[in-house]
Amino acid sequence: MNSHIPQKLFIDGPAGKLETVLAEPDFRYRRGFAIIAHPHPLYGGTMNNKVVHTLFKAFLELGFVTVKFNFRGVEQSEGELNSGKDNGAGETEDVLAVVETIRNQFATSFDTPPLLLLAGFSFGGAIQAYAAQRLKPQIVVLVAPAVGRLNAPHLAQPDIKGDIESTRQVLIIQGDQDEVVPLQTVLDWAAPQELPVVVVPGAEHFFHRRLHILKRIVLDSC
């Protein structure tokens, strides 16, 4: 594969094959890998979500080998669908499997050490916060992350002196009219970590009529 045209493949996950779509930037210089996680499957979330698709296009334009995939049990991905009663441990393992496979597949495709970017929308955003604990990505992009519902861990931790220390770039984007993930819950999660939140006025959870703003923020910030 050597084209910006998305290619479908299946990756071996801990619960079975994971349906995946991958695209490579159509220019030689590549910055790294961008792995995108979708919203909660119990509420219709798949990798074909419009917010996920917007992120996919943006990261590709930014020079990342870009990947989106369906969590276990979603559409053509094997395994049992998330029951909504756990903390997303299975889906976090899915992310780890995808990252490992993509890293191995493209190990020799970079002139410099590739960056790892983890991105997620809603449920997928909280899952990526868990995955970040183990993968240590250089960049994290969270859109309306359901951090309160899944009790997501912090991305930035205080050092031994009590000062907030983060070795990664974090971008959080949130609509002020979000009826699914209230703005205040995201602010309450971000504040102790001293992480800024980019608020999009008039945007609800799915960024209807605001997707172009979402894409522009990502392009300008990453």
Side-chain angles (χ1 to χ4, degrees):
M1 282 183 295
N2 192 21
S3 171
H4 66 283
I5 299 174
Q7 306 287 329
K8 185 174 179 179
L9 64 152
F10 287 87
I11 286 175
D12 290 329
K17 299 289 186 180
L18 295 171
E19 183 183 11
T20 305
V21 170
L22 177 149
E24 301 179 52
D26 57 357
F27 44 93
R28 185 176 182 279
Y29 175 69
R30 300 173 177 189
R31 296 175 60 193
F33 312 107
I35 313 296
I36 310 168
H38 67 71
H40 206 301
L42 287 185
Y43 305 100
T46 75
M47 67 174 173
N48 296 316
N49 172 271
K50 290 183 178 179
V51 171
V52 171
H53 182 63
T54 299
L55 293 174
F56 189 91
K57 292 191 296 182
F59 296 139
L60 195 57
E61 289 183 27
L62 287 167
F64 289 90
V65 174
T66 304
V67 178
K68 60 180 180 177
F69 69 98
N70 280 325
F71 286 125
R72 57 184 62 193
V74 178
E75 296 189 335
Q76 295 184 46
S77 287
E78 298 174 345
E80 185 177 351
L81 187 68
N82 181 289
S83 66
K85 297 180 180 179
D86 61 26
N87 64 358
E91 286 78 8
T92 301
E93 293 294 330
D94 291 345
V95 172
L96 299 181
V98 170
V99 170
E100 180 180 13
T101 298
I102 299 302
R103 275 177 163 168
N104 290 338
Q105 180 174 341
F106 289 91
T108 61
S109 298
F110 292 87
D111 297 327
T112 58
L115 300 175
L116 175 61
L117 186 157
L118 296 182
F121 169 46
S122 195
F123 171 81
I127 294 299
Q128 293 292 39
Y130 279 102
Q133 288 187 309
R134 297 167 64 177
L135 292 171
K136 308 301 181 184
Q138 286 77 30
I139 307 172
V140 178
V141 178
L142 306 179
V143 180
V147 289
R149 187 170 299 180
L150 272 76
N151 193 29
H154 284 181
L155 296 172
Q157 302 292 343
D159 61 18
I160 57 176
K161 296 180 181 179
D163 297 324
I164 297 294
E165 182 177 26
S166 176
T167 58
R168 59 179 65 96
Q169 175 185 345
V170 180
L171 173 63
I172 305 171
I173 307 171
Q174 180 72 29
D176 70 344
Q177 300 299 312
D178 194 325
E179 72 289 355
V180 177
V181 177
L183 171 60
Q184 192 59 50
T185 65
V186 176
L187 293 175
D188 290 344
W189 180 77
Q193 307 175 72
E194 299 181 1
L195 295 175
V197 177
V198 179
V199 178
V200 180
E204 41 74 75
H205 189 61
F206 296 97
F207 286 78
H208 182 59
R209 298 184 184 277
R210 301 291 191 281
L211 290 172
H212 63 291
I213 301 176
L214 173 64
K215 183 179 181 183
R216 188 171 70 238
I217 293 170
V218 172
L219 291 176
D220 290 346
S221 303
C222 295

